[in-house]
């Protein structure tokens, strides 16, 4: 990125309204009813449950863990906010309904007037982007935050895809760099799919040479290792047998853990333990972005892994425990999940985090 572009991006970030003060009485759980997508039934043509976000909060409220009044509602990301990462050309391309239809993988959207597509599809996404960005600020202040949405990890600065129209992870990190005085961020992407969007966006910010760094780590040459460190470290644990098959983006993963189709809970959690242990030694982040997709769930038609309901709760617990033990702020995004049961699984995992005192959902 040129110096001029960086300056322009910083100016946009400083003038953004997406960071705002949240009363201490609210809990750092971010959601808006605007997240949920309802488009005359057309949304049902994609396997993603586009009412998942509201159902998660509904379960938490019904189970007595969450008071609706304590939820933080974010602002919608504006064009200026999005331009921090996205190009003008890419944002303009979203004014074409056929282009949006390709990104969200719902062909009939191509036939809908774009004004409706903006209102019914892209506006909810922009609201979730605002939630992801605000999540980093809340995590820095409270130690953790959960955006009950976001995690659009297939979208990069100039290209959307896989039901991801905006690069909320990249935007969240750039805002944190500028507004939170953070210089080292770890992305822990445990969605079943490779996070090719943020991998492309931070190609020049990740480790300069992953192979050399691994050798240096094994030799315990810590001082030289840190000279090779970038601002963003990406730990991506995904199924290589499914979308997006992005070989170029794979080159920019600092810690790649490929879990094959059919991997079961015990094997998955063992590999995760090893990955987190290595990541902790390799990088010392000031913020963790945790992309917690539930498409690893047994039976998910797109993830093709066999992780149990309890296994997902254990997975989330391990990541939050790592952050808690090292006093690293963590923001969790819910990302992918293509079964109706995903909302219940996420809610139960959040309940488990509260029971284990890894998060506090009570009014301050």
């Amino acid at each position: 990125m040129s110096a001029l572009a960086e300056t322009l991006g910083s100016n946009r970030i400083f003038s953004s309204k997406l960071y705002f003060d949240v009363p201490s009485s609210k809990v750092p759980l971010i959601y808006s009813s605007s997240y949920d997508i309802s488009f005359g039934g057309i949304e049902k043509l994609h396997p993603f449950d586009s009412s998942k976000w509201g159902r998660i909060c509904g379960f938490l409220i019904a189970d007595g863990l969450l008071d609706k009044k304590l939820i933080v509602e974010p602002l919608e990301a504006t064009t200026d906010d999005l331009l921090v990462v996205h190009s003008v050309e890419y944002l303009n391309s979203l004014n074409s309904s056929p282009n949006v239809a390709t990104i969200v993988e719902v062909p009939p959207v191509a036939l809908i007037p774009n004004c409706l597509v903006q209102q019914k599809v892209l506006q909810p996404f922009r609201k979730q982007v605002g939630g992801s960005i605000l999540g980093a600020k809340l995590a820095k202040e409270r130690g953790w935050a959960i955006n009950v949405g976001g995690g659009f990890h297939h979208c990069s600065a100039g290209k959307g895809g896989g039901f991801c129209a905006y690069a909320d992870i990249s935007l969240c990190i750039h805002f944190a760099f500028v507004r939170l005085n953070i210089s080292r961020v770890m992305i822990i992407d445990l969605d079943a799919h490779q996070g090719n969007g943020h991998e492309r966006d931070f190609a020049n910010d990740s480790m300069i040479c992953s192979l050399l760094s691994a050798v240096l780590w094994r030799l315990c040459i810590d001082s030289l290792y840190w000279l090779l460190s970038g601002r963003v470290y990406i730990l991506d644990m995904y199924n290589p047998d499914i979308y997006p098959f992005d070989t170029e983006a794979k080159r920019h993963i600092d810690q790649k853990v490929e879990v094959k189709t059919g991997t079961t809970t015990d094997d998955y959690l063992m590999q995760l333990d090893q990955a987190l242990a290595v990541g902790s030694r390799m990088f010392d982040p000031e913020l963790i972005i945790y992309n917690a997709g539930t498409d690893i769930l047994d039976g998910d038609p797109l993830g093709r892994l066999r992780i149990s309901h309890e296994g997902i709760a254990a997975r989330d617990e391990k990541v939050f425990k790592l952050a808690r033990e090292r006093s690293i702020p963590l923001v969790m995004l819910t990302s992918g999940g293509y079964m109706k049961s995903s909302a219940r699984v996420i809610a139960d995992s959040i309940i488990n985090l509260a029971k284990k005192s890894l998060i506090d959902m009570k009014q301050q």
Side-chain angles (χ1 to χ4, degrees), residues 53-64:
W53 308 292
R55 292 173 60 238
I56 293 168
C57 289
F59 286 132
L60 294 175
I61 293 167
D63 291 349

Side-chain angles (χ1 to χ4, degrees), residues 290-348:
Y290 174 35
N291 200 46
T294 47
D295 47 5
I296 66 170
L297 190 63
D298 190 6
D300 189 287
L302 301 187
R304 300 184 194 172
L305 301 176
R306 297 184 58 195
I307 314 308
S308 68
H309 185 141
E310 296 78 15
I312 288 180
R315 175 199 70 171
D316 294 349
E317 183 180 329
K318 289 175 185 293
V319 177
F320 272 78
K321 187 176 180 182
L322 169 72
R324 182 69 173 267
E325 289 177 344
R326 298 181 61 192
S327 299
I328 304 168
L330 178 150
V331 54
M332 171 179 161
L333 313 173
T334 57
S335 201
Y338 306 93
M339 298 171 67
K340 278 287 185 181
S341 57
S342 283
R344 180 72 260 181
V345 170
I346 294 168
D348 285 345

Side-chain angles (χ1 to χ4, degrees), residues 1 30 52 57 62 75 78 110 122 127 133 146 152 158 171 184 200 210-211 246 255 258 266 269 290 317 321 329 341:
M1 185 182 291
I30 305 164
K52 175 179 80 172
C57 289
L75 299 176
T78 67
L122 295 179
K127 194 85 166 185
I133 291 171
I146 297 174
F152 305 131
L171 284 159
R184 299 186 310 279
R200 286 179 171 270
S210 296
L211 177 60
D246 193 333
Q255 193 178 341
E258 296 189 336
D266 289 346
L269 293 177
Y290 174 35
E317 183 180 329
K321 187 176 180 182
S341 57

Side-chain angles (χ1 to χ4, degrees), residues 141-359:
E141 294 170 351
R142 314 282 188 90
W144 66 275
I146 297 174
N147 181 21
V148 185
F152 305 131
H153 66 159
H154 296 308
C155 186
S156 61
K159 185 178 181 181
F163 205 70
C164 302
Y166 301 111
D168 66 318
I169 293 175
S170 301
L171 284 159
C172 174
I173 292 172
H174 280 289
F175 270 70
F177 283 157
V178 174
R179 294 284 289 270
L180 302 179
N181 197 29
I182 281 173
S183 59
R184 299 186 310 279
V185 177
M186 175 183 281
I187 300 171
I188 300 179
D189 194 336
L190 302 186
D191 186 276
H193 299 81
Q194 177 198 346
N196 59 321
H198 57 73
E199 289 157 9
R200 286 179 171 270
D201 282 345
F202 292 109
N204 297 322
D205 267 304
S206 59
M207 305 303 294
I208 295 172
C209 178
S210 296
L211 177 60
L212 180 57
S213 297
V215 171
L216 291 172
W217 171 70
R218 290 190 181 96
L219 294 175
C220 298
I221 307 177
D222 292 339
S223 58
L224 187 54
Y225 168 78
W226 289 114
L227 290 175
L228 291 173
S229 295
R231 298 186 299 175
V232 178
Y233 181 97
I234 300 173
L235 190 172
D236 196 349
M237 188 167 172
Y238 62 93
N239 183 348
D241 303 325
I242 59 175
Y243 177 91
F245 307 108
D246 193 333
T247 304
E248 171 61 25
K250 286 183 184 181
R251 295 177 53 240
H252 308 301
I253 302 173
D254 301 297
Q255 193 178 341
K256 178 173 61 177
V257 184
E258 296 189 336
V259 284
K260 296 287 188 177
T261 295
T263 296
T264 55
T265 303
D266 289 346
D267 186 17
Y268 181 93
L269 293 177
M270 179 185 70
Q271 292 191 59
L272 176 60
D273 281 336
Q274 294 170 349
L276 293 177
V278 171
S280 297
R281 292 173 180 171
M282 295 285 278
F283 196 69
D284 183 25
E286 298 169 295
L287 175 69
I288 292 174
I289 309 296
Y290 174 35
N291 200 46
T294 47
D295 47 5
I296 66 170
L297 190 63
D298 190 6
D300 189 287
L302 301 187
R304 300 184 194 172
L305 301 176
R306 297 184 58 195
I307 314 308
S308 68
H309 185 141
E310 296 78 15
I312 288 180
R315 175 199 70 171
D316 294 349
E317 183 180 329
K318 289 175 185 293
V319 177
F320 272 78
K321 187 176 180 182
L322 169 72
R324 182 69 173 267
E325 289 177 344
R326 298 181 61 192
S327 299
I328 304 168
L330 178 150
V331 54
M332 171 179 161
L333 313 173
T334 57
S335 201
Y338 306 93
M339 298 171 67
K340 278 287 185 181
S341 57
S342 283
R344 180 72 260 181
V345 170
I346 294 168
D348 285 345
S349 179
I350 293 172
I351 292 169
N352 178 64
L353 293 172
K355 285 180 177 178
K356 298 294 176 61
S357 298
L358 293 169
I359 61 174

